[in-house]
């Protein structure tokens, strides 16, 4: 469970009033060397006051140099609350089979209070990385297995007046030195949009998000993120602003715009627009 959706209070009350909440998101990116689009779905089923099951799927198509790339990511898992303390377990798969395939697992603890929230999660990735090496008149594909272990920590605070701030950091240790594997081309292929960067070879990612209410139901938010790729292959800084507003009696609409700037070897800039709809429901 990463940083929660801005309507955290509505999600928590849903545990006692509703049986599910689901959402769909679409993002379109304008990149220096091509464009990209992402579509994602998520669903959460509230079994009882203590148990919630989750599933998500996302697909990204990015057209850019040296050619296009498509990634498909999925994740399933759940949470169990022991009062203010809870545990969470997730597993999934991410990547592009032509370049790398990652089997992902995570497990952690989280705590909800009246004002403070914290979380700690262990991360594990088993990656099959495909390297292409020229050999006379053909190009040979070489599969290189990688293993990465990491952690993610998060801390959040909210006031009674509707202001909240969340900070998070995650980092990985790889069992190989990626700077020696010639992975720069693969990283550039898998990083033409802001969302595909999250499934590439991250070394560290730090983010800060602030949100404040406008009226009873709407909210503005601003977030900044720095992603560092493994093997000193590049850095991407992202700034986004968003607006959350009710969309009918049972839904929320979250619209965000942002820009990602590549540096230290990761070429290209990205401007993106994201539209997210979250629906709350139940069964009679």
């Amino acid at each position: 469970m990463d940083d929660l959706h801005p309507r955290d209070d509505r999600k928590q009350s849903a545990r006692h009033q509703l049986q599910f909440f689901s959402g769909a998101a679409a993002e379109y990116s304008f990149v220096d060397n091509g464009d990209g689009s992402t579509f994602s779905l998520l669903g959460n089923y509230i079994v009882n006051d203590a148990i919630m099951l989750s599933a998500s799927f996302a697909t990204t198509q990015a057209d850019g140099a040296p050619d296009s790339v498509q990634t498909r990511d999925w994740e399933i898992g759940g949470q169990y609350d022991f009062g203010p303390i809870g545990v969470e377990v997730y597993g999934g798969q991410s990547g592009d089979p032509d370049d790398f395939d990652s089997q992902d697992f995570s497990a952690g603890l989280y705590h909800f209070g009246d004002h403070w929230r914290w979380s700690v999660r262990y991360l594990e990735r088993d990656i099959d990385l495909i390297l292409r090496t020229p050999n006379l008149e053909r190009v040979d594909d070489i599969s290189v297995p990688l293993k990465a272990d990491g952690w993610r920590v998060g801390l959040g605070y909210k006031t009674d007046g509707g202001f909240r701030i969340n900070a998070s950091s995650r980092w990985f240790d790889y069992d190989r030195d990626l700077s020696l594997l010639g992975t720069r081309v693969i990283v550039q292929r898998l990083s033409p949009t802001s969302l595909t960067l999250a499934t590439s070879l991250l070394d560290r990612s730090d983010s800060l998000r602030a949100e404040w209410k406008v009226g009873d139901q709407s909210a503005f938010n601003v977030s900044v993120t720095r992603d560092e790729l493994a093997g000193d292959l590049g850095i991407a800084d992202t700034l986004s602003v968003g607006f959350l507003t009710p969309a009918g009696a049972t839904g929320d609409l979250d619209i965000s715009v942002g820009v990602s700037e590549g540096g230290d070897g990761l070429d290209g800039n990205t401007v993106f627009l994201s539209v997210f709809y979250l629906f709350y429901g139940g069964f009679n």
Side-chain angles (χ1 to χ4, degrees), residues 129-175:
L129 182 65
I130 305 300
L131 298 181
R132 293 178 174 84
T133 59
N135 185 7
L136 296 178
E137 296 181 354
R138 69 180 189 274
V139 176
D140 293 332
D141 289 348
I142 301 177
S143 177
V144 179
L146 297 173
K147 184 176 178 61
D149 297 297
W151 292 90
R152 181 191 183 279
V153 295
L155 181 65
Y157 178 78
K158 66 178 181 179
T159 68
D160 295 332
F163 175 80
R164 71 179 69 218
I165 187 168
N166 294 293
S168 66
S169 180
R170 55 177 170 150
W171 60 93
F172 291 94
D173 291 320
Y174 293 83
D175 63 348

Side-chain angles (χ1 to χ4, degrees), residues 15-61:
R15 290 180 178 271
H16 305 283
Q17 300 172 9
L18 307 176
Q19 290 180 290
F20 70 87
F21 50 97
S22 58
E27 178 179 282
Y28 189 79
S29 302
F30 306 87
V31 195
D32 287 350
N33 57 359
D35 299 333
S37 60
T38 297
F39 181 74
S40 58
L41 295 171
L42 66 88
N44 300 272
Y45 179 70
I46 301 166
V47 180
N48 53 41
D49 287 352
I51 301 174
M52 184 174 69
L53 305 178
S54 303
S56 64
F57 172 81
T59 178
T60 296
Q61 177 70 43

Side-chain angles (χ1 to χ4, degrees), residues 221-277:
N221 62 79
V222 177
S223 64
V224 292
T225 302
R226 164 159 285 199
D227 295 312
E228 300 178 8
L229 301 188
D232 298 324
L233 294 175
I235 294 176
D237 294 315
T238 302
L239 170 67
S240 67
V241 295
F243 179 68
L244 174 77
T245 187
T250 58
D252 288 334
L253 185 65
D254 194 353
I255 301 175
S256 300
V257 294
V259 59
S260 294
E261 181 179 43
D264 289 349
L266 186 62
D267 299 327
N269 298 321
T270 303
V271 178
F272 59 90
L273 168 67
S274 176
V275 179
F276 179 81
Y277 178 75

Side-chain angles (χ1 to χ4, degrees), residues 204-223:
R204 184 184 178 96
S205 179
D206 301 303
S207 65
L208 181 67
R209 175 189 176 105
E211 177 199 319
W212 55 96
K213 274 186 151 185
V214 179
D216 294 333
Q217 298 293 320
S218 300
F220 279 106
N221 62 79
V222 177
S223 64

Side-chain angles (χ1 to χ4, degrees), residues 4-5 7 42 69-70 85 95 105 112 117 124 128 131 148 182 202 206 215 228 234 240 246 258 274:
L4 291 179
H5 188 267
R7 193 64 59 82
L42 66 88
V69 61
Q70 184 173 26
I85 299 289
F105 170 79
F112 281 103
R117 171 191 184 264
E124 181 179 284
D128 286 328
L131 298 181
L202 278 178
D206 301 303
E228 300 178 8
S240 67
S274 176

Side-chain angles (χ1 to χ4, degrees), residues 1 80 82 84-89 106-112 117-122 151-154:
M1 181 180 61
Y80 188 91
F82 300 91
I85 299 289
V87 297
E88 55 186 357
V89 177
S106 66
L109 296 172
Y110 59 89
H111 172 269
F112 281 103
R117 171 191 184 264
W118 58 259
S119 64
V120 178
R121 185 195 287 192
Y122 169 74
W151 292 90
R152 181 191 183 279
V153 295

